[in-house]
Amino acid sequence: MNSFVQYAGPELATINELLLAEVERLDPVVQPLVRYVLEAGGKRLRPFLVLLTARAFGHTGEGAYPLACAMEFLHSATLLHDDIVDGADLRRDQATAHTLFGHTRTILAGDILLALANRLVADYDIPRLNGAMAEGIYRTAAGEILEISHLRNPGLGLGEYLDIVTGKTACLMAAACRCGALLAGAGDALVERAAGFGLNLGIAFQLVDDALDYSSCRAVAGKPVGADLREGKLTLPLILYFESLDAARRARLGEGFRNASLGGEEMDAIVAEVNELGLDRKTRDVAREYLDRAAEDLAAFPESRETAVLRDTLEFLHRREK
Amino acid sequence: MNSFVQYAGPELATINELLLAEVERLDPVVQPLVRYVLEAGGKRLRPFLVLLTARAFGHTGEGAYPLACAMEFLHSATLLHDDIVDGADLRRDQATAHTLFGHTRTILAGDILLALANRLVADYDIPRLNGAMAEGIYRTAAGEILEISHLRNPGLGLGEYLDIVTGKTACLMAAACRCGALLAGAGDALVERAAGFGLNLGIAFQLVDDALDYSSCRAVAGKPVGADLREGKLTLPLILYFESLDAARRARLGEGFRNASLGGEEMDAIVAEVNELGLDRKTRDVAREYLDRAAEDLAAFPESRETAVLRDTLEFLHRREK
C-alpha cells in the first residue's frame, strides 16, 4: 500500500472530526450545505500537506490541526463559489451544492468558510502565516478570474494555461506547505523549498486532473468526461489537440469552441481523438516534469518518515485515476 | 459645515486615489465591475473610521491608508455578494453590479476584494490587526447568514434583530476602529473603547438606515421606499408596526409577510402607516441610545481634532437623510 494512503488513513478520522466540530459552531442555516460539501469526499490533500510539511520540519504535537483545517475550509469555499461560477451541476458524481441549496446559501457558505479559515490562521498570532494565507487566497481568486477571462478563447497559449493552473490550484497548495514549514519554524531557505514543493506538486495535480477530464470514464472521475471542453475551458489536452490539427480544421473547431457552437457528437469525437492521439498521456508527461521539480525541492527537506510519505505522494498523484 | 464633512473632503480624494490605484492591479476582467462599485458612491465611512481612530490615538504619517482601503474593499466585497443574496436590483439608485455584470463576475470580484483586503492587512505584519480583521469578516458573514435565516419570519424579536444589525453592519465598523487604535499602539483598554465606539456607531448607523428605508423618498435614499418590506426583511420600523396591531390583524399581516403574499398596495399602505405612526422616528430614537453609548466610549479617547470630528460624526449619522 502506498505510504501516503497508509499515513493518511488514521489522520483522516482526526481531520474530519475537527472539521465537523468547527462546522457545528456555524449558523444552522449553512451547516447542512457545508456538511454536504465536506462529506462529498475529497482527499483532504491540503490538510495533509500542512501536517506532513510541519512534521517534516520537526513540528510535533497537535498544534498544526487548526491550520490544516483552515486549508480545507479555504479549499471548500473556493469549490462552492467556483461551482456557481462554472455553472457546474456535478462534482465527484454528486450534485453541486448550489443546485441543491441555491445561489444565496452557497455564496454565504463560501464566505463564512473563507472567514473561518482566516480566523483559524489569525488565532496562531504568527504574522507570516497570515501573509502566506492572504497571498494564497488572493492568487487563488486571481487564478479563477484569469480562467474565466480566457473562457472559450481557442488562442490560449501554454504559458497562460500554466498561469491559470498555478493560480487556481497550485498557489493554495504552496501556501499549505509554506504554512506548515513556517509553523515548524523552518529557516527562510527551507520555507521557500517547502512552498516550491507545494507549487510544483499543485501544478502537476491540476495537469493530471485536466488529463483525467478527457481520459477517465465518468464512473471513475465522478464527473462527465470532457466537462472542461463543454464548459469552454481550454486545458492542456485540448491545447495539444488544436496544435495537432491542420490550419483549416483548427480554425473551424476554434471558432466552434469560441462560439459554443460545437455539437454534442462533435465534442464526443474530439474527446475520442484526444485519447487516440495519447494527449492525456502527454499531459501526464508534462505533469511528470513538475513532479520532478517537486522532488528536487523535497530533496532539501530533512529526511523523516513524513518526507518519505511526501515522496510517495508524488508517485501517487502521477498515477491517480480519479 | 459639519466637521466630519470638512475633514472628510480633502481625505476623500486621497482615499479614492489609493483605492483606484489598487484596482488597477487587478485582472482586467473584474476591473470595470470593481470600479463601478467604488464609483457608485458611498460615504467611505469605514476608511474614515480607521484614519480618525488611528490619528485620535496619536498615529501620524501615511501608514494608515492601506488599512483604511482594506476596510472599504471588505465593505465593497460584502455589498457585491449581499446584493446577489438579496436579489437587489438597485443600490444608491443605480443598478446593482450583478444585474449588469452577472453572478459569475460579481462573485469573483467579491472574492478578490476580500482577498485584497486580507493582503493589505497582512502586509502590516501586526498579528492583532489580522485577528481583528478575521473576526470582523467572520461576524459580518455570520450576520448576513442570520438575516437570511430569519427572512420572512414575522416573529423575529428585537434581540435577534439587533444581533443581525450588529453582525452585518456594526462588527465591521468595530473592526475598523479597533484596527485604527491597534495601529496607533493604543493600550488594551483604549482599544476596547475604540471597538465599542465603532460597534455602537455601527448599530446606530444601521438603525437609521432601516428607518430611512421607510421614511425617505426614493430620490433621496437612492433605492425604493419599503425595499426591506418587499425583500422580506423584518427591521425595527416593521417590528414596531406589528407590535402596534391588534392580534387578528397582526396574525393576518404576519402570514402575508411570511408567505410573500402581501400585494403591492397593501405594502404601500403599511409603509404609509409606519410613517403616520412615527415609527421611523421611534427607530431613530433607538439609534440615539446607541449613539449615546458611542459618545461614552468616545469620552475615553484623548482630546484631539479627530476626536472632535468623531463626536460630530455621531450627530451627522443621527440626522442623515440618505
Side-chain angles (χ1 to χ4, degrees):
Chain A
M1 187 162 73
N2 181 291
S3 79
F4 173 71
V5 176
Q6 208 164 19
Y7 192 97
E11 291 291 350
L12 199 59
T14 310
I15 290 173
N16 284 334
E17 209 174 285
L18 292 169
L19 289 172
L20 290 175
E22 287 291 343
V23 172
E24 277 184 20
R25 282 178 224 138
L26 296 177
D27 189 290
V29 86
V30 289
Q31 277 194 32
L33 196 163
V34 172
R35 210 171 277 126
Y36 178 79
V37 172
L38 288 174
E39 289 173 354
K43 292 165 275 295
R44 310 285 186 248
L45 179 57
R46 291 151 196 86
F48 284 126
L49 288 177
V50 173
L51 294 177
L52 287 164
T53 313
R55 290 172 188 167
F57 288 102
H59 190 267
T60 55
E62 312 288 295
Y65 283 108
L67 189 56
C69 288
M71 289 296 165
E72 188 66 16
F73 285 134
L74 194 47
H75 174 56
S76 302
T78 62
L79 291 186
L80 288 173
H81 286 185
D82 291 356
D83 282 341
I84 301 178
V85 164
D86 293 342
D89 294 333
L90 289 176
R91 176 177 293 275
R92 298 182 195 123
D93 221 11
Q94 297 197 22
T96 49
H98 70 97
T99 62
L100 294 179
F101 298 92
H103 281 199
T104 291
R105 283 172 196 231
T106 307
I107 292 172
L108 291 174
D111 287 347
I112 198 82
L113 288 182
L114 195 70
L116 179 56
N118 262 323
R119 208 167 61 164
L120 287 168
V121 173
D123 281 348
Y124 282 91
D125 254 10
I126 302 174
R128 287 174 71 189
L129 280 188
N130 291 300
M133 183 83 166
E135 190 66 22
I137 296 175
Y138 184 86
R139 294 189 62 185
T140 304
E144 181 71 15
I145 289 170
L146 192 63
E147 179 169 60
I148 293 295
S149 74
H150 283 293
L151 216 57
R152 301 207 167 279
N153 170 14
L156 182 80
L158 182 63
E160 289 160 311
Y161 165 72
L162 287 172
D163 283 346
I164 292 171
V165 164
T166 302
K168 76 171 186 172
T169 305
C171 283
L172 200 52
M173 301 212 187
C177 296
R178 181 185 291 278
C179 285
L182 284 170
L183 189 66
D188 286 353
L190 289 177
V191 168
E192 290 312 316
R193 282 299 202 164
F197 170 79
L199 193 79
N200 287 313
L201 177 151
I203 294 171
F205 179 87
Q206 186 60 50
L207 284 165
V208 172
D209 228 45
D210 291 348
L212 282 169
D213 189 68
Y214 280 87
S215 59
S216 171
C217 73
R218 185 191 162 111
V220 174
K223 52 184 182 178
V225 175
D228 288 339
L229 173 59
R230 274 165 246 277
E231 288 173 12
K233 291 180 183 171
L234 191 65
T235 60
L236 189 52
L238 193 59
I239 291 175
L240 296 173
Y241 177 70
F242 279 160
E243 281 176 5
S244 77
L245 301 176
D246 61 61
R249 192 146 176 247
R250 189 190 309 177
R252 202 184 57 75
L253 287 185
E255 267 317 288
F257 182 73
R258 187 191 294 282
N259 306 328
S261 61
L262 297 172
E265 281 181 25
E266 206 162 13
M267 287 195 282
D268 289 343
I270 291 173
V271 172
E273 270 195 86
V274 163
N275 282 298
E276 279 159 31
L277 293 166
L279 301 179
D280 60 320
R281 270 203 326 281
K282 280 206 178 151
T283 299
R284 278 185 193 257
D285 291 343
V286 180
R288 162 59 65 201
E289 292 174 32
Y290 286 94
L291 291 173
D292 289 345
R293 290 192 204 178
E296 279 175 42
D297 290 314
L298 198 58
F301 284 37
E303 201 46 59
S304 70
R305 182 181 171 208
E306 284 75 16
T307 303
V309 172
L310 287 169
R311 200 173 294 119
D312 279 359
T313 305
L314 298 179
E315 278 315 304
F316 181 70
L317 291 182
H318 187 244
R319 287 196 315 270
R320 77 190 174 97
E321 290 298 335
K322 61 178 183 175
Chain B
M1 187 162 72
N2 182 291
S3 79
F4 173 72
V5 176
Q6 207 165 19
Y7 192 98
E11 290 291 350
L12 199 60
T14 309
I15 291 174
N16 284 333
E17 207 175 284
L18 292 169
L19 289 171
L20 291 174
E22 287 290 343
V23 172
E24 276 184 21
R25 282 179 223 135
L26 297 177
D27 190 288
V29 87
V30 289
Q31 276 195 32
L33 196 163
V34 171
R35 210 171 276 126
Y36 178 79
V37 172
L38 289 174
E39 289 174 353
K43 291 165 275 292
R44 309 283 186 249
L45 180 57
R46 292 150 195 85
F48 284 127
L49 287 177
V50 173
L51 293 177
L52 286 165
T53 314
R55 290 172 187 165
F57 288 102
H59 190 268
T60 54
E62 312 287 295
Y65 283 109
L67 190 56
C69 288
M71 289 296 164
E72 188 65 17
F73 285 135
L74 194 46
H75 174 57
S76 301
T78 63
L79 291 187
L80 288 172
H81 285 185
D82 292 354
D83 282 342
I84 301 178
V85 164
D86 294 341
D89 293 333
L90 289 177
R91 177 178 291 276
R92 298 184 195 121
D93 222 11
Q94 296 198 21
T96 49
H98 70 99
T99 62
L100 294 179
F101 298 93
H103 281 198
T104 292
R105 283 172 196 230
T106 308
I107 292 172
L108 291 174
D111 287 347
I112 198 81
L113 287 182
L114 195 68
L116 179 56
N118 263 323
R119 206 166 64 164
L120 287 169
V121 173
D123 281 347
Y124 281 92
D125 253 10
I126 302 174
R128 288 174 72 189
L129 279 188
N130 291 301
M133 183 83 164
E135 189 67 22
I137 296 175
Y138 183 86
R139 295 189 63 184
T140 304
E144 181 72 16
I145 289 170
L146 192 63
E147 179 169 61
I148 293 295
S149 74
H150 283 293
L151 216 57
R152 302 209 167 277
N153 170 14
L156 182 82
L158 182 62
E160 290 160 311
Y161 165 72
L162 287 173
D163 284 347
I164 291 170
V165 164
T166 302
K168 75 171 188 172
T169 305
C171 283
L172 199 54
M173 301 211 187
C177 295
R178 181 185 291 279
C179 285
L182 284 170
L183 188 67
D188 286 353
L190 289 177
V191 168
E192 291 312 316
R193 282 299 203 164
F197 170 80
L199 193 78
N200 287 312
L201 176 152
I203 294 171
F205 179 87
Q206 186 60 50
L207 284 166
V208 172
D209 229 46
D210 292 347
L212 283 169
D213 189 68
Y214 280 87
S215 59
S216 170
C217 74
R218 184 189 162 114
V220 175
K223 51 185 182 178
V225 175
D228 288 338
L229 173 59
R230 275 164 246 279
E231 288 174 12
K233 292 181 181 168
L234 191 64
T235 59
L236 190 52
L238 192 59
I239 291 175
L240 297 173
Y241 177 70
F242 279 160
E243 280 175 6
S244 78
L245 301 176
D246 61 61
R249 192 145 178 249
R250 190 191 308 176
R252 202 183 59 72
L253 287 184
E255 268 317 288
F257 182 72
R258 186 190 295 283
N259 306 327
S261 61
L262 297 172
E265 282 181 23
E266 206 161 13
M267 288 195 282
D268 288 344
I270 292 173
V271 172
E273 269 194 86
V274 163
N275 282 300
E276 279 159 30
L277 292 165
L279 301 179
D280 60 318
R281 270 203 327 280
K282 281 206 177 149
T283 299
R284 279 186 193 255
D285 291 344
V286 181
R288 161 61 65 200
E289 291 174 32
Y290 286 94
L291 291 173
D292 288 346
R293 291 192 204 178
E296 279 175 42
D297 290 314
L298 198 58
F301 285 36
E303 202 45 60
S304 69
R305 183 182 170 206
E306 284 76 16
T307 302
V309 172
L310 287 169
R311 199 174 295 119
D312 279 359
T313 306
L314 297 179
E315 277 315 303
F316 180 70
L317 292 182
H318 188 244
R319 287 195 316 270
R320 76 191 174 95
E321 290 299 334
K322 60 177 182 175

